[in-house]
Amino acid sequence: MIKKKNITTRKKTKVIGTKTYIDKDTGELEKMHVISIEERDANFHKIWLGHIVQSLDLIGNKKIKVLSYLMENLNSENMFLKGQKEVAESLNISIQTVSRTFRALQESDFMRQTKYGIYQVNPDMIFKGGKEKRLNVLLQYHQADKEERKCNNETDKKERKCNNENITQDN
C-alpha cells in the first residue's frame, strides 16, 4: 500500500517569541508576540495561459488557433460575439475546422452557445477579471445552465407524452 504525502499549500505560521515595542501615541512599553508568516504555494504548476496558448499557436494546430482567437476576443462577461464564419475568415481556415472546434468546446463545457453567433465561455475554465466580477458571471452561467436543463426536461416530457399518445392511438 502506497501512502500519499500530506503536502500543504497554505501559509506557514511560526511563532518567533515576544518583543517590547513603544506605543507611538502614549510612549508606553508594550510586550507583543511576534510571528512570521511565510506564504506557500508549493504543489502548484503556475501557468500563464496567454503564453502557453501563444506557444501552442506557433506549433500550428488550427484548432489551437481557433481557441486562441476565441480567448483573445472575449468581452468582460466572458462572451464571444463573433460567428463561426467570421472566425474562419479571420484565421484563414475552413468553416468545418471552426465548427468542429466549437462543437468540441461546447461538449466539454468549455463554452455554450447562448444565441445564434453568441457564445459564453465557462468562467470555471477561464476568466479575465477580478473575483467579484467572476462570481457574478459564474452565477449567471450556472443559472442559464439550470434553465436550459429545465427546458430540456420539459421538452423531453412533452415528447414522451406525445409519443405515448401516438402509440395508444395506433393500438
Side-chain angles (χ1 to χ4, degrees):
M1 180 177 196
I2 300 173
K3 253 187 170 179
K4 287 186 176 182
K5 277 184 167 181
N6 187 10
I7 301 172
T8 67
T9 57
R10 308 177 283 233
K11 294 179 182 179
K12 180 180 178 185
T13 306
K14 179 180 173 185
V15 177
I16 294 176
T18 59
K19 281 196 168 187
T20 305
Y21 291 96
I22 299 173
D23 186 317
K24 182 179 156 187
D25 296 328
T26 64
E28 294 179 16
L29 296 177
E30 294 185 29
K31 279 193 172 183
M32 303 255 183
H33 292 282
V34 178
I35 59 172
S36 170
I37 300 174
E38 182 182 317
E39 292 287 332
R40 291 194 168 193
D41 61 356
N43 244 6
F44 289 102
H45 291 294
K46 295 167 187 74
I47 297 175
W48 282 260
L49 191 57
H51 297 297
I52 292 288
V53 172
Q54 188 178 41
S55 296
L56 292 173
D57 193 23
L58 292 173
I59 292 170
N61 185 335
K62 292 179 181 179
K63 291 180 179 180
I64 295 296
K65 289 183 186 298
V66 173
L67 176 62
S68 177
Y69 185 83
L70 192 147
M71 289 173 25
E72 289 170 4
N73 290 282
L74 291 176
N75 70 12
S76 63
E77 300 293 319
N78 246 29
M79 304 292 276
F80 182 77
L81 307 173
K82 298 181 181 193
Q84 294 181 15
K85 185 177 179 182
E86 187 178 347
V87 174
E89 289 171 357
S90 295
L91 297 174
N92 198 25
I93 60 177
S94 73
I95 188 77
Q96 292 83 3
T97 299
V98 174
S99 181
R100 282 192 300 268
T101 305
F102 273 45
R103 193 175 321 115
L105 292 172
Q106 289 175 75
E107 288 171 359
S108 69
D109 195 31
F110 180 84
M111 69 179 192
R112 77 163 52 104
Q113 185 171 11
T114 59
K115 294 180 185 172
Y116 183 77
I118 299 176
Y119 301 85
Q120 185 175 28
V121 172
N122 185 343
D124 278 330
M125 303 281 188
I126 185 171
F127 188 79
K128 183 177 181 180
K131 179 182 175 184
E132 293 294 322
K133 181 75 172 168
R134 179 184 168 271
L135 291 175
N136 288 332
V137 172
L138 188 62
L139 182 65
Q140 292 168 4
Y141 187 86
H142 287 299
Q143 186 63 35
D145 188 41
K146 286 179 187 176
E147 289 171 10
E148 185 179 319
R149 275 190 261 132
K150 181 181 176 185
C151 181
N152 288 341
N153 287 340
E154 289 173 4
T155 303
D156 288 346
K157 288 176 189 176
K158 287 178 187 176
E159 286 176 3
R160 277 181 279 187
K161 182 179 178 185
C162 182
N163 288 339
N164 288 340
E165 287 173 1
N166 289 339
I167 292 169
T168 306
Q169 288 174 0
D170 290 343
N171 292 334

